[in-house]
Amino acid sequence: MGSEHYTAYEGAEPYFTLIRGALGDLVDGEHFFDVVAEDVSYEVRYELGWPRVIQGRAALMAAFGGYVEAIRIRSADELIVTRADGGRVVVVEYDVHGTILATGATYDNRFCSIIEIGDGKIVRWRDYMDSHAAWVALNV
């Protein structure tokens, strides 16, 4: 599917574009959701309202649906990409900048994501972030 099929997620598009670009030719597909395996395991290593582990592409899309109802990302930058294990593992460090929609508070955060690739798709994702920055933005 092309990115026009994901207009409901446009509030996170800078993030999706950054990640898709970081993975380059290691994955197949145009949009972030196109490069996620149907049975992906998406794990977050923090407690801020997301499930700790999301199983499956459909559940991940549903979680991002809630995310874009709460936060609008205006940019993503400071990208550092490290490939390991012949490109089977990719470590992506990046910053996101946006707005908490309920309050208008500024949202700036830093992430480190460890991504495992199999058959041209993301099969496993482990996410780390600056939990304090998120907590502050959500509690303004």
Side-chain angles (χ1 to χ4, degrees):
M1 279 190 258
S3 56
E4 68 276 1
H5 296 286
Y6 302 113
T7 56
Y9 303 96
E10 69 184 349
E13 195 55 44
Y15 161 79
F16 293 142
T17 299
L18 179 103
I19 296 299
R20 181 62 194 90
L23 297 177
D25 62 357
L26 295 175
V27 292
D28 301 318
E30 181 181 331
H31 188 271
F32 174 83
F33 289 129
D34 296 334
V35 303
V36 173
E38 289 293 328
D39 61 348
V40 68
S41 177
Y42 189 100
E43 179 181 1
V44 297
R45 305 293 295 171
Y46 41 85
E47 297 285 343
L48 282 170
W50 270 54
R52 289 294 299 264
V53 178
I54 299 170
Q55 293 294 129
R57 182 176 180 265
L60 182 61
M61 290 178 74
F64 268 105
Y67 181 89
V68 298
E69 290 176 1
I71 300 173
R72 180 161 190 96
I73 301 300
R74 75 175 171 282
S75 64
D77 54 25
E78 301 298 326
L79 177 65
I80 299 171
V81 178
T82 305
R83 292 183 180 189
D85 196 13
R88 194 179 83 67
V89 175
V90 181
V91 178
V92 184
E93 301 171 67
Y94 53 96
D95 293 359
V96 298
H97 314 281
T99 304
I100 305 297
L101 297 176
T103 64
T106 299
Y107 176 68
D108 294 295
N109 208 335
R110 294 166 295 283
F111 291 84
C112 180
S113 302
I114 301 168
I115 303 164
E116 294 180 30
I117 309 293
D119 295 324
K121 301 291 182 195
I122 298 169
V123 295
R124 185 166 183 221
W125 182 291
R126 281 185 320 278
D127 208 38
Y128 300 84
M129 76 165 175
D130 181 345
S131 305
H132 185 259
W135 185 86
V136 167
L138 291 168
N139 290 287
V140 169

